Amino acid sequence: METELFEELYLTGCQIRLNAELSEYTTIKIGGPAQAIVFPQTTEAFIKALNILKGREIQYKILGGGSNVIPPKSFHGIVVSTKALTGIEFSGNQVAFDCGMSVRRLLRLVASRGLSGLEFLSGLPGSLGGALFMNAGAFGGEIGNLVEEVTVLDNDLNVRSLKAEEIGFSYRHSSLRDYVILGAILKFDYAKPEKVIREMELVLKRRLEKQPLDQPSAGSTFKRPRNDFYVGTTIEALGLKGLRVGGVEISRKHAGFIVNRGNATQEDVVRLIEKVQELVYLTYDVKLETEVEIWKGGLYA
């Protein structure tokens, strides 16, 4: 059955890697083997692959740039990577791109053309699909503010186009969580390329000064529960910087990040998250929600 499945996926235009370690594809370097990672080479192959997996009732997860994701020790299912889906098209100050386009590459491309608006994401790992999924933001900006249209697959795997006003972007959230993102169109402002590049460099400098970009992490661990509640500052005030569970610890540079200090597992991350949530709740009566996604083990977990 597996041989037939992989042959069918291959013929749709997918590359396949069997028993691949997910730690190789996540920014926190955590995750054991998946049954297979499938790499569609085109959007059409992506859609066909998902239809095949759904038709066979096979458990699958979609993986973009690998940030904000904590996989388990093993995943009993198929991982579909959007890594190869990097098409891009410019039309004046509007840019259409495929979901697998990396944030970093897009920023370089738009900066060279004097297109401004996403500088606040400078230094952010991951894909544009993932950024849209969670309405990524920083330093007062959110990607949802630039969206003109997003192309998605609905629950029946039909292709749909959603205008920005249909999506409902909010802090670290959008209704795109109910869909599979295929691509989007963003609208930028015009600016001199050197001005855009200078702003990107300033944002990156701020990140490097404050965030542990030199260590494996999944990005910011928790959502801010309200505008006046700063999670990193709160965790630091509780004296939790450097708190360690197994192979992970709360960053000594920024307490809002959990970093992999070596041989970390999803279980380590979950235990540390729960410790922080418990202490914050007991001290401040505030329930912290995670920004990172904790994957379950799959069909047989």
Side-chain angles (χ1 to χ4, degrees):
M1 182 65 72
E2 286 186 3
T3 300
E4 291 178 7
L5 169 65
F6 296 140
E7 285 180 352
E8 191 173 1
L9 290 169
Y10 178 78
L11 290 172
T12 66
C14 297
Q15 294 181 1
I16 300 166
R17 187 178 174 195
L18 302 178
N19 300 314
E21 294 287 329
L22 290 171
S23 59
E24 298 179 26
Y25 297 92
T26 59
T27 58
I28 197 170
K29 304 303 179 186
I30 285 177
Q35 183 180 355
I37 302 183
V38 175
F39 301 88
Q41 300 299 294
T42 64
T43 298
E44 291 74 18
F46 184 34
I47 295 170
K48 288 178 182 177
L50 296 185
N51 273 282
I52 290 168
L53 294 173
K54 184 174 182 179
R56 289 176 176 255
E57 297 183 344
I58 293 173
Q59 172 88 0
Y60 68 87
K61 276 283 193 180
I62 296 171
L63 182 67
S67 60
N68 289 90
V69 174
I70 315 290
K73 289 181 180 178
S74 63
F75 182 75
H76 302 285
I78 306 295
V79 174
V80 183
S81 170
T82 63
K83 190 174 182 179
L85 307 180
T86 59
I88 187 167
E89 184 177 339
F90 293 89
S91 179
N93 65 335
Q94 293 193 357
V95 182
F97 57 85
D98 291 340
C99 59
M101 170 69 68
S102 75
V103 173
R104 289 171 178 170
R105 181 168 178 242
L106 178 68
L107 286 173
R108 290 196 301 270
L109 291 172
V110 298
S112 67
R113 291 172 175 258
L115 298 176
S116 172
L118 270 188
E119 292 89 331
F120 60 87
L121 290 186
S122 184
L124 193 79
S127 67
L128 267 297
L132 288 165
F133 180 83
M134 63 174 293
N135 190 23
F139 307 114
E142 293 181 341
I143 192 171
N145 294 331
L146 280 74
V147 169
E148 291 286 293
E149 182 178 299
V150 181
T151 305
V152 300
L153 291 177
D154 62 21
N155 288 331
D156 296 319
L157 299 183
N158 297 312
V159 178
R160 294 180 56 187
S161 293
L162 303 175
K163 298 295 184 182
E165 55 269 21
E166 299 177 76
I167 295 170
F169 288 105
S170 59
Y171 173 71
R172 299 299 180 271
H173 181 80
S174 76
S175 61
L176 294 172
R177 291 176 178 270
D178 299 326
Y179 302 94
V180 174
I181 299 169
L182 298 177
I185 299 173
L186 301 185
K187 186 175 182 179
F188 293 81
D189 295 323
Y190 288 110
K192 292 183 178 180
E194 56 269 26
K195 183 176 183 296
V196 180
I197 293 169
R198 185 165 59 250
E199 181 61 26
M200 285 171 52
E201 290 172 345
L202 289 172
V203 170
L204 182 58
K205 182 181 178 183
R206 289 174 68 183
R207 285 191 191 276
L208 289 168
E209 288 173 349
K210 296 182 178 181
Q211 299 177 6
L213 300 187
D214 59 333
Q215 294 178 294
S217 84
S220 181
T221 307
F222 300 101
K223 297 177 184 178
R224 188 186 298 178
R226 58 177 190 260
N227 288 336
D228 62 344
F229 193 96
Y230 295 92
V231 177
T233 303
T234 299
I235 295 172
E236 182 175 357
L238 289 170
L240 300 180
K241 268 189 172 181
L243 178 65
R244 189 161 183 170
V245 172
V248 296
E249 72 174 21
I250 295 173
S251 169
R252 299 167 190 270
K253 193 171 189 179
H254 190 308
F257 289 70
I258 288 176
V259 297
N260 183 350
R261 296 304 302 268
N263 299 315
T265 66
Q266 184 194 77
E267 183 182 13
D268 295 338
V269 177
V270 171
R271 286 169 57 206
L272 186 51
I273 284 173
E274 288 174 348
K275 280 179 177 285
V276 172
Q277 288 173 323
E278 180 183 7
L279 288 168
V280 170
Y281 182 70
L282 288 173
T283 308
Y284 298 97
D285 196 29
V286 170
K287 293 183 178 180
L288 293 181
E289 294 182 10
T290 57
E291 190 168 311
V292 297
E293 182 183 357
I294 310 294
W295 281 13
K296 295 183 179 180
L299 197 58
Y300 309 111

